Structures are given as structure tokens and as C-alpha cells.
Amino acid sequence: MSKRGYHHGNLRQALVEATLSLIEEKGPQGFTLSEAAKAVDVTPAAVYRHFSGREELIAEVARQGYEIFTALMDFAYDNGKPSALAAFEATGRAYLAFARKYPGHYQAMFESGIPITSNPDLAMIAARATAVLEEAARALSANIPPEKRPPPAMFAAHIWAMSHGVVELFTRGNPGARSPFAAEDLLEAGIGIYLRGLGLLPQDR
Amino acid sequence: MSKRGYHHGNLRQALVEATLSLIEEKGPQGFTLSEAAKAVDVTPAAVYRHFSGREELIAEVARQGYEIFTALMDFAYDNGKPSALAAFEATGRAYLAFARKYPGHYQAMFESGIPITSNPDLAMIAARATAVLEEAARALSANIPPEKRPPPAMFAAHIWAMSHGVVELFTRGNPGARSPFAAEDLLEAGIGIYLRGLGLLPQDR
DNA sequence: TGTACATCAGTGAACGCGCGTTCACTGATGTAC
DNA sequence: TGTACATCAGTGAACGCGCGTTCACTGATGTAC
């Protein structure tokens, strides 16, 4: 690519981006530290100036993924505007959009097998991400008739689980991928039915 | 372990079982063909008598997993007894129970990244598994008021997605694992709310 | 029951390879004066 | 503006290792007669 001198300039971030591409191509377990080094035209030993090893590279990709993810969800939620319900549905769509648009980050975050607890920074930003989801659920939950109001954390978990399941099964050529439905439609319909079950949508629309 | 002669006796299945253990320990990408061979006290070259390589080993674990999975779902569904609804809920519970009881198979089936199309046997048994799910959905769908009856394949997909999401996120110490809810309760509640949204459960129970 | 022979499953040695990790090093950069 | 020096980022050679895959082989098993 571009010629460079002895010093790279921004090797750390360049490595992160190479890792990202490698994950997109071959999955989080499908590449080696040496490949990442080669991708940015650097000796494997140079990687150790910035990361303790392959795991930490992936963890950094995941961290940056959570950063984007949180911002995106926050933006979609938009402080509950125009309504708690509409904002909530927007976060559902945003989840799927994130998985589609940032598949490498998504895999590093949710499919790499690296524990969020392996890194304090990672744990913190991951917690912030779930906080956004739960805040959306909490706001919405005010509209639910109290006698059938589940804990907000619970229905945040439901929506998260369904979204994640749709991504894993009906995206990227996986087991159910030959489904006749687009993942987006599937998720939208599923969330709609679920919210109706909570009494948040009219029964017979 | 047990001493054996020059011939192993049932090397093929022994290798499959070793692979299963290795997947449970280190994930579908976390072991080598040589490790599998070593686990059954055999030369790596011997593996090639039975499998074309590591991929095919995992595919066979997945195939056997689908076999068990289908049987389990079929048993749980029990031809729609005692009622379409109860039978449907039983399959939901059976899904999670399968994931818990056969984690190695589950990973080979859903997390290994080997395409179901890589092997005709595998593709066939996987199709049979989804057929069971869709049959359960179809039977249940007869009870749904026609004006809001989604295609059975769609709501089979919804239930599958939510179940899978719960397994991935709230089982085995993954990202959302510090959830305050047991996966079983979470899934049961989620399916309940969903079915209420379909008009299959009373609104105010 | 015995023996000759075909079949088959696993051996073990060999190959070339890329891996992770370490180390003393060196070239580039920045800063103090 | 110039120079001396400290700091730092990346080099390249080296290590021991386990990998996948091949090959001619051999020991065990089964069967025909």
C-alpha cells in the first residue's frame, strides 16, 4: 500500500482494523496473530509492543464494537422520542442493523468466546450497552398494566434474545438461513407480536 | 485406559465421541485433528481411514446432534397432546433442555460454522428437525384468529430465534450471563408473552 | 480343524510449514540546551 | 538553528513445537476350501 518508514505511525489501530477484516473473513478463531501482523506489513514481534497476544486484539475489536453499538442504540432510542413504544422498536431495528453493518465487531462481541470480564474496559462498556437497552425497557414498562408488568430487565432480555437469535439463525447463511423471510421482517413481526402480548399494542390491529 | 490390539474395534465412533468432548472443552475451533486422534490413542493418520479431515468429524457430531435433537423435539411434541398449546410449549422447553444436556452437539450444530449443506446427510436430518418445529406451529396456528394468523413457518422461526438467543446469551457464561433470571424462566415467560400476543393465551391471566 | 490368502485398519517415519514468543539490535523521533 | 542524547517502535534471527498429510508398511481378521 502506502510506503512507510521504520515507524508505522499508528500500528495499534492498524492492527485492530486488520483483525476486524480477518474476523469478517474467517471468524474470530480462524486467523493467527502472525496473519494480523502480515496484513499490516509488520513483523509478528511488533504486535507485542501493543497487545499481549491474539486474545487482546480481539478484545479490543469487541471493545470498539461495544462503543459503536452503544452509540447506535442510544441514537436510535433518542431519549424515548417520539414515544416510548416507537423508540423501543427503533432500538430493535438498530440491533439488527448493527449486526449487518458491523459483522466483524458483532462476532468479536458475541461469538468470539472471549469473556467480557477478561478486560475491565470491555466489561464497563458492555455494561453501558445493556444499560441503554434496559432504560428503553424501563420507560416502556410504565405503559404496561401493572398486574402483568414483568421486570423491565426481563423483557429487555427477551427482546435482546429474539434479536440475537434472528441474527444468528437467519443471517449470514446459517442453519435456518433458507428461511422464506427476511431477517428484518421476521424480527419486526416478532417484536410486534411480543409487544401485543404485553398489552402495549392493540390486539386487533 | 483399556488395552487393545492393533485394531481398535470401533474407531470411527470413538473419534466422534472424542471430538464431542473436545468441543465441550474448547469449542468447535479450539482443537486439532491430532488432538482428537491422541484422545483415542491412535495415530493421526488413522483418522483418515474414517474421515476426510477435522471438518467432517465435526459434521458427524452435528449430524448425530440433529438426530438426538429431532427425536427429543418429536417426543416433547407428542403429536400435539394433550393440546396443541401445551405441546408447543413443551417443545420450547425441550429446546433449552437439549442445549443444556448436549452442549457439544449443540455447538457443533449451531456454532461451529460448518455449513449444513456441506454434507447431504446433515442437510437431510436438519431439514427433518425444522419440519418438527413447523408442524408444531402449524397445528397451533389453527387456533389463531385468522385475521392475525402469521404463517406458521414464521412463528416457528420466532420461537426458535428466542430460544436460541436465550441459550447463546444467558447460558454458559456469555455476555448477558449475569442476568438475574434463570434461562428456563426467561424463556418460559418470553414464550408466554409471545403466545398471548398471538391471542393464544388469555390477556389477563 | 487347518491352512492359505485377501482384505482391511492402523502404524510410524517423513515432509515442509507456519506458529508463538524471546531477544539483542537498530533506526527514527522528539526534546533539552 | 544545531547538536547530543534518551526514548521508543519495529526488526530479524532464532528456538522449539505441533500441525496436516502422504506413504509404504505390517499386523490382525475373516473366509474359502
Side-chain angles (χ1 to χ4, degrees), chain B residues 6-7 32-35 44-45 48:
Chain B
Y6 196 94
H7 282 204
T32 64
L33 182 146
S34 294
E35 282 181 90
Y48 290 91

Side-chain angles (χ1 to χ4, degrees), chain B residues 63-148:
Chain B
R63 199 195 59 74
Q64 295 188 12
Y66 272 110
E67 208 89 63
I68 300 169
F69 178 75
T70 305
L72 230 67
M73 295 302 265
D74 218 21
F75 179 79
Y77 180 59
D78 194 19
N79 283 308
K81 292 175 201 150
S83 71
L85 181 58
F88 190 81
E89 288 179 323
T91 61
R93 277 190 296 274
Y95 188 97
L96 185 48
F98 174 78
R100 286 237 196 255
K101 207 163 179 191
Y102 301 91
H105 290 106
Y106 192 90
Q107 288 181 73
M109 291 157 71
F110 298 120
E111 302 170 33
S112 71
I114 67 139
I116 20 153
T117 52
S118 74
N119 179 322
D121 284 359
L122 185 56
M124 215 182 63
I125 179 72
R128 270 214 286 139
T130 68
V132 173
L133 288 173
E134 293 192 0
E135 166 58 21
R138 202 201 49 71
L140 189 54
S141 129
N143 300 334
I144 303 180
E147 73 278 6
K148 61 179 162 193

Side-chain angles (χ1 to χ4, degrees), chain B:
Chain B
M1 286 299 138
S2 69
K3 67 175 166 181
R4 62 171 179 84
Y6 196 94
H7 282 204
H8 181 284
N10 195 3
L11 180 55
R12 186 184 159 85
Q13 186 58 22
L15 280 169
V16 172
E17 274 151 32
T19 301
L20 185 56
S21 299
L22 284 165
I23 292 174
E24 283 167 13
E25 266 175 61
K26 328 213 235 160
Q29 308 296 339
F31 71 97
T32 64
L33 182 146
S34 294
E35 282 181 90
K38 201 166 302 168
V40 298
D41 232 9
V42 125
T43 293
V47 178
Y48 290 91
R49 289 272 164 210
H50 300 276
F51 299 94
S52 71
R54 208 184 62 106
E55 281 254 311
E56 207 173 283
L57 264 169
I58 299 174
E60 176 59 14
V61 171
R63 199 195 59 74
Q64 295 188 12
Y66 272 110
E67 208 89 63
I68 300 169
F69 178 75
T70 305
L72 230 67
M73 295 302 265
D74 218 21
F75 179 79
Y77 180 59
D78 194 19
N79 283 308
K81 292 175 201 150
S83 71
L85 181 58
F88 190 81
E89 288 179 323
T91 61
R93 277 190 296 274
Y95 188 97
L96 185 48
F98 174 78
R100 286 237 196 255
K101 207 163 179 191
Y102 301 91
H105 290 106
Y106 192 90
Q107 288 181 73
M109 291 157 71
F110 298 120
E111 302 170 33
S112 71
I114 67 139
I116 20 153
T117 52
S118 74
N119 179 322
D121 284 359
L122 185 56
M124 215 182 63
I125 179 72
R128 270 214 286 139
T130 68
V132 173
L133 288 173
E134 293 192 0
E135 166 58 21
R138 202 201 49 71
L140 189 54
S141 129
N143 300 334
I144 303 180
E147 73 278 6
K148 61 179 162 193
R149 184 189 293 167
M154 174 171 265
F155 82 88
H158 285 149
I159 296 300
W160 192 10
M162 192 183 294
S163 306
H164 184 70
V166 166
V167 169
E168 292 296 319
L169 295 175
F170 303 104
T171 269
R172 289 206 301 263
N174 273 321
R178 44 195 170 13
S179 155
F181 313 103
E184 278 74 8
D185 298 342
L186 199 59
L187 183 57
E188 185 121 14
I191 292 181
I193 293 168
Y194 178 86
L195 293 177
R196 213 166 301 155
L198 281 174
L200 283 165
L201 286 176
Q203 274 297 303
D204 48 331
R205 75 157 180 191

Side-chain angles (χ1 to χ4, degrees), chain A residues 63-143:
Chain A
R63 199 196 58 74
Q64 295 188 12
Y66 273 109
E67 208 89 63
I68 300 169
F69 178 75
T70 305
L72 229 66
M73 295 302 264
D74 219 22
F75 179 78
Y77 180 59
D78 193 20
N79 282 310
K81 290 175 201 147
S83 72
L85 181 58
F88 191 80
E89 288 179 323
T91 60
R93 276 190 296 275
Y95 188 96
L96 185 48
F98 174 78
R100 285 238 195 254
K101 206 164 180 189
Y102 301 92
H105 290 105
Y106 192 89
Q107 287 180 75
M109 292 157 72
F110 298 119
E111 303 171 31
S112 70
I114 67 140
I116 22 157
T117 51
S118 73
N119 178 326
D121 284 358
L122 186 55
M124 216 182 62
I125 178 72
R128 270 214 287 139
T130 68
V132 173
L133 288 172
E134 291 190 1
E135 165 57 21
R138 204 201 46 70
L140 189 53
S141 129
N143 299 333

